């Protein structure tokens, strides 16, 4: 506690040096944080928040490590200078494990609950190894409990009876908004309406009370495997952050100082004869001197080098070439939806760590498109299960599931409803590998049924790939046929990074006119397609070398529009089926355009500002001297939504006939 207090005071004394980067400290919160951190084990998982430096110290982090992150140094062990102070990530054998920690308040609740759900699953599956059952700690400020995503975490923890402790530190402030302005309850009162989540309120400034309460709660979680919430009242004795100063708006500082946990602990030590006053004073002076030595060492440490910027965007994968046989032994053509099921079945048969969950994917229905049919019956309701309507939880829980060694395959029911999950996808999932300096890549697969499939209406027909493809740190694939779907699903599973699979609903059963080629002979179980490798369809014919030629670049449904339109231009069209949007196989695109001298990019999205236009721009930049016509992009009309009425829908969407007209225009240019 003296060290944590000393850090706060040292940072204030050295404000001109440390104010370059914003930071927050635990001053006033130390007792509850230390009481928790001291009792955790190396097999536990902790999801702290940005004020938890006292907790970090109690778990074994050193002041020097904290300071290296404070000053964003190259040897910062948490992020290599990429993340703020007290945004830790740890994977040391002798300490509790700490996955990626973001600045977004409350967002850690879902990944933390995902880690606890991973523990629950491993115990159900019989694959947990260890003598003492682990638990997860999710540390939160009370103001963050008003976040909807925190509520999603509470509900799932209660629903599945997960081994998690929600430790809520209530200092009554939400930056400058006092508690009465933003909520009518504290966290313990709030969760009383959630059956199965027991809550306790304590004085978070009394170390002995905090330690004993948490000892009892932690013991119950380890043995009874159920969730608890501990609500600890604490004062905020330092600034909200170094950039938002307490003197700017606080009028309660004198009153709050009376609740300082530090003199309370000093008094208890003296009254119980643990140390004398002189011994305490000597200890305080020694700690202060050591902190200054560490501070000088951190200040003089090396800054990151420019080349360090480019490391750990992705974890490395060894899938760099096609594996297995594309044509399996059964020559019967299979639908895309079935090949997806076959791929997951083979994965689950081979890997106990593979788990599938989402809305309505469980045994009763097997997905609204039957895309998970029979899987729950074969592998059990603990392994293929329904979630509530919680897109944020579905997406964000994969961070924790992956951290404890599982490989989750999850589903957002329609692309139209991915938006509540984008917060977790952007804030937690996509940045984890990069901001933890490669320690915690999120290994997950996110299935997203997408696209229009015949009068689906404005909330079941959307294409959203442009938004998702612009979230750095993800990989994004979009197959156009059953064989590619299986090969990409397998590759996505074995990739150590987060992979989004867009699955076109209109191609699932190849019932839409002109999509017969979406069916394939099922590849064998070893078939893998490297993510980032496009496919070349309809190679050029030398016999028509004197006629103008065209490269069409597309993916998903666009490939079928292109294929059908190209039938009238035999030998003149080369189609590039991207299969992967991120990473993008630009080499194959450019190689084709340099042969044909023309390029058309097709998308189902509205064209303006689309990913397809970004492809066209790259072609323009990199193949300009080879072009004999403008690079063109076509897609759906630029309207806010796809209407329900069939006539309006057809007017909105692209078609093979519309593609054919543009092909003629480009070839005649």
């Amino acid at each position: 506690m003296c060290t944590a207090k000393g850090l706060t005071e040292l940072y204030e004394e050295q404000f001109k040096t440390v104010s370059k980067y914003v930071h927050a400290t635990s001053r006033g919160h130390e007792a509850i944080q230390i009481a928790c951190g001291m009792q955790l084990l190396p097999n536990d998982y902790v999801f702290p928040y940005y004020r938890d430096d006292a907790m970090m110290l109690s778990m074994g982090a050193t002041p020097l490590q904290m300071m290296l992150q404070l000053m964003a140094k190259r040897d910062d062990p948490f992020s290599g200078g990429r993340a703020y102070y007290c945004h830790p990530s740890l994977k040391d054998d002798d300490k509790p494990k700490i996955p990626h920690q973001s600045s977004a308040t409350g967002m850690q609740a879902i990944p933390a609950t995902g880690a606890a759900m991973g523990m629950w699953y491993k115990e159900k599956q019989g694959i947990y190894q260890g003598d003492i059952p682990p638990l997860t700690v999710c540390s939160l400020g009370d103001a963050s409990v008003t976040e909807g995503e925190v509520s999603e975490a509470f509900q799932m923890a209660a629903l599945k009876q997960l081994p998690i402790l929600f430790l809520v530190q209530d200092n009554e402030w939400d930056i400058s908004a006092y508690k009465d302005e933003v909520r009518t309850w504290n966290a313990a009162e709030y969760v009383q309406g959630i059956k199965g989540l027991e809550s306790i309120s304590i004085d978070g400034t009394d170390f002995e009370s905090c330690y004993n309460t948490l000892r009892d709660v932690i013991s119950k979680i380890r043995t009874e495997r159920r969730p608890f919430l501990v609500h600890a009242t604490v004062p905020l004795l330092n600034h909200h952050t170094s950039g938002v100063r307490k003197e700017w708006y606080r009028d309660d500082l004198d009153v709050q100082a009376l609740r300082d946990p530090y003199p309370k602990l000093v008094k208890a030590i003296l009254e119980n004869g643990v140390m004398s006053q002189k011994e305490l004073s000597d200890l305080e002076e020694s700690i202060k001197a050591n902190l200054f030595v560490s501070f000088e060492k951190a200040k003089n440490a090396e800054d990151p080098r420019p080349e360090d910027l480019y490391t750990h965007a992705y974890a490395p994968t060894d899938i760099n070439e096609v594996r297995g046989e594309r044509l399996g032994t059964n020559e019967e053509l299979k639908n895309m939806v079935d090949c997806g099921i076959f791929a997951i079945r083979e994965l689950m048969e081979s890997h106990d760590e593979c788990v599938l969950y989402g809305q309505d994917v469980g045994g009763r229905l097997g997905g609204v498109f039957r895309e998970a049919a029979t899987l729950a019956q074969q592998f059990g309701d603990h392994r293929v299960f329904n979630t509530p309507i919680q897109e944020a939880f579905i997406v964000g829980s994969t961070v924790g599931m992956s951290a404890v060694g599982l490989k989750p395959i999850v589903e957002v029911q329609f692309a139209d409803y991915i938006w509540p999950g984008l917060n977790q996808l952007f804030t937690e999932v996509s940045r984890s590998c990069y901001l933890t300096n490669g320690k915690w890549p999120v290994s997950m697969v996110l299935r997203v049924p997408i696209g229009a499939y015949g009068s689906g209406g404005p909330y079941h027909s959307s294409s959203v790939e442009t938004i998702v493809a612009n979230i750095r740190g993800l990989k994004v694939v979009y197959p156009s046929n059953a064989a590619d779907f299986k090969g990409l699903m397998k590759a996505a599973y074995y990739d150590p990074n987060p992979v989004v699979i867009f699955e076109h609903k209109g191609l699932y059963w190849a019932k839409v006119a002109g999509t017969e080629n979406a069916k394939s002979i099922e590849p064998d179980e070893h078939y893998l397609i490297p993510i980032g490798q496009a496919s070349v369809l309809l190679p050029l014919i030398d016999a028509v070398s004197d006629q103008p030629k065209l490269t069409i670049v597309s993916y998903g449904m666009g490939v079928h529009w292109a294929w059908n339109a190209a039938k009238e231009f035999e030998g003149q069209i080369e189609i590039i089926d991207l299969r992967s949007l991120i990473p993008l196989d630009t080499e194959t695109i450019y190689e084709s355009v340099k042969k044909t001298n023309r390029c058309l990019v097709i998308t189902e999205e509205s064209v303006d500002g689309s990913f397809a236009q970004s492809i066209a721009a790259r072609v323009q930049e990199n193949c300009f001297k080879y072009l004999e016509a403008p690079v063109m992009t076509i897609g759906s009309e630029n309207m806010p939504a796809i209407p329900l009425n069939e006539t309006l829908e057809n007017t909105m969407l692209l078609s093979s006939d519309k593609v054919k007209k543009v092909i003629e225009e480009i070839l005649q240019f």
Side-chain angles (χ1 to χ4, degrees):
M1 191 179 290
C2 181
T3 302
K5 176 173 177 286
L7 288 175
T8 300
E9 294 168 348
L10 179 61
Y11 298 162
E12 285 299 295
E13 292 169 5
Q14 302 291 332
F15 185 71
K16 287 186 177 179
T17 300
V18 302
S19 62
K20 182 176 183 179
Y21 304 114
V22 172
H23 64 271
T25 70
S26 61
R27 192 69 188 94
H29 294 228
E30 299 98 330
I32 185 65
Q33 290 185 18
I34 296 169
C36 179
M38 287 176 66
Q39 302 188 62
L40 300 178
L41 302 176
N43 64 337
D44 294 328
Y45 281 72
V46 183
F47 291 75
Y49 85 120
Y50 52 76
R51 201 177 299 286
D52 282 344
D53 59 1
M55 186 184 295
M56 290 298 301
L57 294 170
S58 69
M59 290 188 292
T62 67
L64 176 59
Q65 289 176 320
M66 304 296 291
M67 292 173 186
L68 287 169
Q69 188 171 52
L70 172 77
M71 290 181 264
K73 296 296 185 176
R74 191 169 194 257
D75 290 334
D76 155 30
F78 308 124
S79 70
R82 291 171 174 171
Y84 294 114
Y85 177 73
C86 203
H87 285 59
S89 61
L90 276 178
K91 211 171 186 179
D92 296 349
D93 291 339
D94 62 342
K95 299 180 185 67
K97 306 303 178 282
I98 305 177
H100 166 243
Q101 169 60 44
S102 74
S103 295
T105 55
M107 294 303 98
Q108 71 271 29
I110 285 178
T113 307
M117 191 164 72
M119 296 171 184
W120 166 87
Y121 169 75
K122 292 172 83 170
E123 291 166 14
K124 292 276 189 183
Q125 189 68 8
I127 58 176
Y128 171 72
Q129 297 178 342
D131 297 328
I132 301 176
L135 58 81
T136 298
V137 173
C138 176
S139 179
L140 297 158
D142 198 59
S144 71
V145 177
T146 59
E147 287 273 9
E149 293 182 22
V150 176
S151 175
E152 291 189 18
F154 288 164
Q155 292 179 56
M156 280 299 291
L159 180 66
K160 296 291 185 182
Q161 288 295 280
L162 303 179
I164 185 169
L165 166 61
F166 295 103
L167 182 62
V168 180
Q169 302 170 55
D170 184 0
N171 61 34
E172 302 183 330
W173 286 95
D174 176 1
I175 306 185
S176 67
Y178 191 60
K179 63 178 182 178
D180 295 342
E181 299 176 67
V182 293
R183 59 189 185 275
T184 61
W185 38 258
N186 65 44
E189 295 166 340
Y190 176 50
V191 301
Q192 287 175 7
I194 301 177
K195 294 180 180 180
L197 177 53
E198 187 173 337
S199 63
I200 303 170
S201 281
I202 60 172
D203 178 358
T205 67
D206 185 320
F207 176 78
E208 187 175 3
S209 174
C210 290
Y211 190 92
N212 291 334
T213 299
L214 289 176
R215 179 176 57 189
D216 178 60
V217 168
I218 288 172
S219 176
K220 287 181 178 177
I221 295 174
R222 291 201 195 281
T223 56
E224 299 175 15
R225 314 310 278 160
R226 62 188 177 98
F228 277 81
L229 184 145
V230 173
H231 167 254
T233 57
V234 292
L236 179 59
L237 301 182
N238 196 36
H239 313 292
H240 168 72
T241 65
S242 57
V244 182
R245 314 290 288 176
K246 60 187 179 181
E247 60 268 14
W248 294 351
Y249 60 92
R250 296 277 298 277
D251 57 8
D252 64 340
L253 295 172
D254 292 340
V255 175
Q256 292 287 349
L258 299 176
R259 302 185 61 222
D260 188 342
Y262 190 80
K264 288 186 178 184
L265 183 58
V266 169
K267 181 181 178 183
I269 288 172
L270 294 174
E271 288 179 349
N272 286 277
V274 179
M275 289 185 187
S276 67
Q277 181 62 63
K278 183 179 186 309
E279 288 173 321
L280 270 175
S281 298
D282 290 346
L283 179 61
E284 289 172 332
E285 288 303 313
S286 173
I287 287 173
K288 187 174 182 179
N290 288 334
L291 286 176
F292 187 77
V293 171
S294 294
F295 182 84
E296 288 297 306
K297 187 174 182 179
K299 185 173 68 173
N300 295 319
E302 182 185 5
D303 285 320
R305 302 167 187 169
E307 59 267 27
D308 294 335
L309 174 69
Y310 304 102
T311 60
H312 304 301
Y314 296 103
T317 177
D318 61 356
I319 302 174
N320 300 309
E321 59 184 8
V322 175
R323 300 179 186 175
E325 297 296 328
R326 186 175 179 89
L327 298 179
T329 56
N330 187 339
E331 295 184 0
E332 180 185 354
L333 294 177
K334 300 295 185 181
N335 291 318
M336 271 186 65
V337 71
D338 292 329
C339 276
I341 294 172
F342 301 154
I344 295 174
R345 176 180 294 138
E346 291 168 356
L347 290 167
M348 298 189 94
E349 287 173 341
S350 301
H351 303 284
D352 282 341
E353 66 273 17
C354 181
V355 58
L356 170 67
Y357 57 94
Q359 296 168 30
D360 297 303
V361 301
R364 287 194 189 91
L365 188 60
V368 295
F369 299 102
R370 305 291 289 156
E371 70 281 2
T374 72
L375 294 176
Q377 287 86 348
Q378 181 174 353
F379 298 104
D381 293 335
H382 68 289
R383 201 165 175 200
V384 179
F385 58 88
N386 294 328
T387 66
I389 303 173
Q390 295 182 344
E391 287 83 2
F393 183 87
I394 292 168
V395 173
S397 61
T398 63
V399 176
M401 294 284 274
S402 172
V404 301
L406 301 178
K407 181 72 184 201
I409 301 174
V410 298
E411 179 183 310
V412 172
Q413 199 167 80
F414 287 87
D416 307 71
Y417 301 121
I418 197 173
W419 311 114
L422 283 188
N423 201 0
Q424 289 288 327
L425 194 63
F426 175 81
T427 304
E428 307 296 334
V429 174
S430 70
R431 297 180 167 196
S432 182
C433 184
Y434 188 70
L435 292 181
T436 64
N437 230 17
K439 291 192 294 295
W440 295 102
V442 179
S443 187
M444 60 88 88
V445 180
L446 173 58
R447 301 182 66 180
V448 184
I450 193 171
Y453 58 108
S455 297
Y459 291 99
H460 299 82
S461 306
S462 298
S463 293
V464 301
E465 59 266 25
T466 292
I467 300 297
V468 175
N470 274 282
I471 300 177
R472 309 291 185 260
L474 303 178
K475 294 187 178 181
V476 182
V477 300
Y478 200 146
S480 67
N481 61 76
D484 285 351
F485 188 21
K486 185 174 183 182
L488 289 168
M489 176 70 78
K490 290 289 189 74
Y493 180 85
Y494 291 115
D495 198 295
N497 300 284
V499 182
V500 178
I501 299 184
F502 287 120
E503 307 171 9
H504 199 290
K505 303 186 294 290
L507 300 179
Y508 267 155
W509 300 280
K511 290 183 178 180
V512 176
T515 62
E516 297 80 8
N517 287 336
K519 293 183 178 183
S520 308
I521 295 173
E522 183 194 354
D524 72 14
E525 65 175 309
H526 305 294
Y527 186 58
L528 296 171
I529 298 172
I531 295 175
Q533 187 179 99
S535 173
V536 179
L537 308 178
L538 294 178
L540 297 175
I541 299 175
D542 292 337
V544 293
S545 59
D546 59 331
Q547 296 184 23
K549 301 172 188 62
L550 171 65
T551 296
I552 298 180
V553 180
S554 194
Y555 51 89
M557 183 64 79
V559 173
H560 297 273
W561 288 327
W563 181 277
N564 289 299
K567 292 177 180 177
E568 298 188 22
F569 306 92
E570 184 176 357
Q572 295 178 262
I573 308 297
E574 186 161 273
I575 299 174
I576 307 299
D577 182 354
L578 292 177
R579 303 196 292 199
S580 298
L581 306 186
I582 303 295
L584 182 66
D585 187 356
T586 54
E587 181 179 349
T588 297
I589 296 172
Y590 300 159
E591 182 180 336
S592 177
V593 173
K594 289 174 183 178
K595 291 189 300 183
T596 66
N597 313 119
R598 293 170 175 81
C599 183
L600 170 64
V601 185
I602 298 175
T603 179
E604 187 173 324
E605 286 189 296
S606 297
V607 172
D608 287 0
S610 64
F611 183 76
Q613 281 193 327
S614 76
I615 296 174
R618 295 190 214 193
V619 173
Q620 182 79 5
E621 287 182 13
N622 291 277
C623 302
F624 180 77
K625 64 182 180 181
Y626 298 94
L627 294 173
E628 296 180 4
V631 180
M632 296 188 68
T633 309
I634 55 173
S636 296
E637 299 297 330
N638 291 299
M639 301 306 293
I642 297 176
L644 180 64
N645 177 270
E646 184 178 11
T647 299
L648 296 177
E649 180 187 56
N650 290 336
T651 305
M652 173 86 176
L653 295 173
L654 204 56
S655 67
S656 294
D657 288 339
K658 294 177 182 178
V659 171
K660 185 172 66 173
K661 291 179 181 178
V662 178
I663 291 175
E664 291 173 343
E665 179 183 346
I666 299 174
L667 291 177
Q668 293 171 7
F669 191 87

